[in-house]
Amino acid sequence: MDHRQRMQKKKAVVDAAIAAAPIERGVLVVNTGNGKGKSSAAFGVVARALGHGLKVGVVQFVKGRSDTGEEAFFRAQPGVAWHVGGEGFTWETQDPERDARAARDAWAVACRHLADAAVGLVVLDEFTYALKYGWLEMEAVLAALAARPPRQHVIVTGRGAPEALRQAADTVTDMAMEKHAFQAGVKAMPGLEW
């Protein structure tokens, strides 16, 4: 069989798969795992959503810095609401009640986005930690995600996504780390890491 015949067969398979998926609705995506790129992948989808004219709400949990390249770029874009809700990683704050309070405050902002049909994409960055540490109640979170507008997409990022969140998600990507420059002593640099 020549290349053209193989590609014709492949096209038939792909076309059949596309035809078998006619449902148009919002999707819940979870980017988890110990590898790098969970948030970066979500911000790539933010760019894609903006390109299609969707409004976007980004709520960052845990992360406390507000000098990242993605924030500087996306805050300047019309149609993006960006909220830094964390006060820094838990090993920096060392105050679990303060972390829990920041997570609850950030969740209140997220809930406003999740209730707004005009927002086409909501990114809950580093959100898994709010669930892992029990700062938010899983049942209430799942209920809010399920009650969102029917065409709204949500992306959750962070390590250690709980099983209940994974089960509720439409798409789960578990990013594994094979190698990281930091392990070789390379400093985190703006433009790549933040």
Side-chain angles (χ1 to χ4, degrees), residues 31-118:
N31 293 342
T32 192
N34 291 332
K36 296 295 292 177
K38 297 175 288 294
S39 297
S40 298
F43 299 140
V45 177
V46 169
R48 178 178 290 162
L50 290 172
H52 284 282
L54 275 65
K55 289 187 176 181
V56 178
V58 176
V59 181
Q60 293 188 292
F61 292 77
V62 180
K63 290 179 180 173
R65 64 184 314 156
S66 60
D67 63 345
T68 62
E70 58 268 21
E71 181 182 359
F73 178 78
F74 285 120
R75 269 197 194 270
Q77 304 306 311
V80 177
W82 192 286
H83 178 78
V84 178
E87 294 196 14
F89 289 101
T90 55
W91 62 84
E92 292 170 345
T93 62
Q94 301 178 16
D95 184 341
E97 183 48 43
R98 183 173 127 192
D99 294 334
R101 188 171 45 254
R104 289 189 298 269
D105 292 346
W107 177 241
V109 173
C111 285
R112 289 194 291 276
H113 292 311
L114 292 170
D116 186 349

Side-chain angles (χ1 to χ4, degrees), residues 76-184:
Q77 304 306 311
V80 177
W82 192 286
H83 178 78
V84 178
E87 294 196 14
F89 289 101
T90 55
W91 62 84
E92 292 170 345
T93 62
Q94 301 178 16
D95 184 341
E97 183 48 43
R98 183 173 127 192
D99 294 334
R101 188 171 45 254
R104 289 189 298 269
D105 292 346
W107 177 241
V109 173
C111 285
R112 289 194 291 276
H113 292 311
L114 292 170
D116 186 349
V119 178
L121 172 65
V122 178
V123 175
L124 305 176
D125 188 36
E126 304 294 356
F127 185 63
T128 59
Y129 298 102
L131 300 171
K132 176 183 175 181
Y133 293 125
W135 299 334
L136 299 173
E137 183 183 311
M138 179 65 76
E139 289 178 15
V141 166
L142 294 178
L145 292 171
R148 72 187 192 275
R151 293 186 62 97
Q152 185 182 75
H153 305 296
V154 177
I155 302 176
V156 172
T157 72
R159 294 177 182 221
E163 187 60 29
L165 180 63
R166 289 171 179 259
Q167 291 300 318
D170 298 290
T171 301
V172 177
T173 300
D174 196 322
M175 298 184 180
M177 182 171 59
E178 183 174 323
K179 182 172 153 178
H180 193 291
F182 187 72
Q183 295 168 324

